[in-house]
Amino acid sequence: MTASEISFFILAVLSVAAALVVVFGKNIVHAALALVLTFCSVAGIYVLLDAEFLAAVQILLYVGGITILILFAIMLTSRISGGGVRILNEQVGVSLVVVGGLLLLIVSVLWNASFAGSAPPPVQTTPYIGRLLITTYLLPFEVASILLLAALIGALILARKEKE
Amino acid sequence: MVPLHSYLILGGILFAIGMFGALTRRHAIGILMSIELMFNAANLSFVAFSRYLPESALRGQVFAIFVITVAAAEAAVGLAIVLGLYRNFKTVNVDEINLMKW
């Protein structure tokens, strides 16, 4: 086993275990902290895939931004309670069947698929991504900025206390 | 070198776990977190394809950046909705919010 295979295996096990804690964790704060671990291991897998820029974006935006936002929302809403409270609704059986079927489908399709081409030698990706974003993907880039502005204003209006 | 299939199967497993959470969690923020897991699984597949298929020319990574942008917007609006729900219903368990259920 090479170093990259070993690190992939460790990161994969870590991310799946943390994802299971996110879904089945009794305490919602623990689930949010496990989410941080999942995001970090996915960022590690991005590094293995030679996508350093995306790994940095993942850490900055997901770990630094979204998780903090989620923790704030948890603190503002729920009374933090430990065990005793039911965390899953009564659809567990049906969901298990649906999700198991989906997973089986994904794995069986991937098992039989063969993809042409093998990995080319790694290149420095960050400058190319920057160039793509301001040339080929300029329009989606601007649309994304408008989407962010709209989401910002929408979130403000939704979260604001109504007068009177 | 780790084969492409391993990354894709890992993405599939993470997606399935996230989907199970989105379908069964009672806590509204738990559902949002599960949806973030699903976004991550999809991004993982995008990045893996963009690394292993040379003719893709980094399109997968650019698409993953846009997915992260939309996920950030979704989290902000979703959490604002959760705050509004808590203000009006004094609960964040989605199965207790059944005002419009017959």
Side-chain angles (χ1 to χ4, degrees):
Chain A
M1 271 179 58
T2 60
S4 69
E5 278 169 358
I6 294 171
S7 31
F8 173 77
F9 185 73
I10 293 172
L11 287 169
V13 169
L14 208 61
S15 61
V16 169
L20 286 173
V21 175
V22 171
V23 171
F24 295 104
K26 283 250 180 289
N27 190 328
I28 191 79
V29 179
H30 294 172
L33 294 178
L35 196 63
V36 173
L37 192 58
T38 316
F39 288 155
C40 287
S41 24
V42 171
I45 292 174
Y46 287 166
V47 173
L48 278 184
L49 285 166
D50 299 310
E52 304 92 354
F53 178 68
L54 262 181
V57 167
Q58 169 98 357
I59 298 275
L60 282 175
L61 258 174
Y62 270 113
V63 179
I66 291 179
T67 320
I68 301 297
L69 210 62
I70 285 176
L71 279 173
F72 259 112
I74 291 171
M75 302 297 174
L76 283 174
T77 55
S78 50
R79 304 161 294 282
I80 313 292
S81 53
V85 192
R86 222 156 36 91
I87 59 150
L88 301 178
N89 61 17
E90 56 273 11
Q91 315 285 344
V92 174
V94 185
S95 307
L96 215 56
V97 172
V98 170
V99 169
L102 179 77
L103 186 60
L104 213 66
L105 191 70
I106 291 176
V107 171
S108 66
V109 165
L110 288 176
W111 208 257
N112 299 318
S114 65
F115 300 103
S118 58
V123 285
Q124 196 126 41
T125 56
T126 314
Y128 291 105
I129 290 176
R131 210 164 295 143
L132 277 178
L133 274 180
I134 57 163
T135 53
T136 319
Y137 298 100
L138 185 60
L139 183 65
F141 186 70
E142 296 297 336
V143 171
S145 63
I146 292 177
L147 172 78
L148 278 180
L149 179 69
L152 193 74
I153 295 171
L156 266 176
I157 288 175
L158 278 173
R160 190 186 54 174
K161 270 209 182 64
E162 277 154 50
K163 290 196 185 91
E164 48 90 59
Chain B
M1 198 73 200
V2 187
L4 174 57
H5 288 80
S6 326
Y7 291 106
L8 297 180
I9 287 174
L10 174 66
I13 293 171
L14 282 179
F15 188 87
I17 295 173
M19 188 167 169
F20 182 76
L23 288 174
T24 57
R25 282 299 292 225
R26 291 177 73 219
H27 201 293
I29 298 174
I31 295 176
L32 277 177
M33 291 195 292
S34 307
I35 292 174
E36 299 295 336
L37 272 183
M38 289 160 76
F39 277 129
N40 258 276
N43 268 348
L44 186 59
S45 302
F46 273 127
V47 178
F49 273 125
S50 123
R51 173 75 181 85
Y52 278 81
L53 304 182
E55 65 272 23
S56 70
L58 290 181
R59 284 196 203 100
Q61 288 199 32
V62 174
F63 204 94
I65 291 174
F66 287 121
V67 170
I68 291 177
T69 315
V70 175
E74 174 259 1
V77 175
L79 291 171
I81 291 175
V82 171
L83 286 183
L85 276 181
Y86 183 71
R87 198 175 297 139
N88 287 318
F89 293 93
K90 298 289 165 240
T91 179
V92 280
N93 289 336
V94 287
D95 54 354
E96 289 166 28
I97 301 165
N98 51 8
L99 198 64
M100 291 179 77
K101 231 181 191 175
W102 184 51

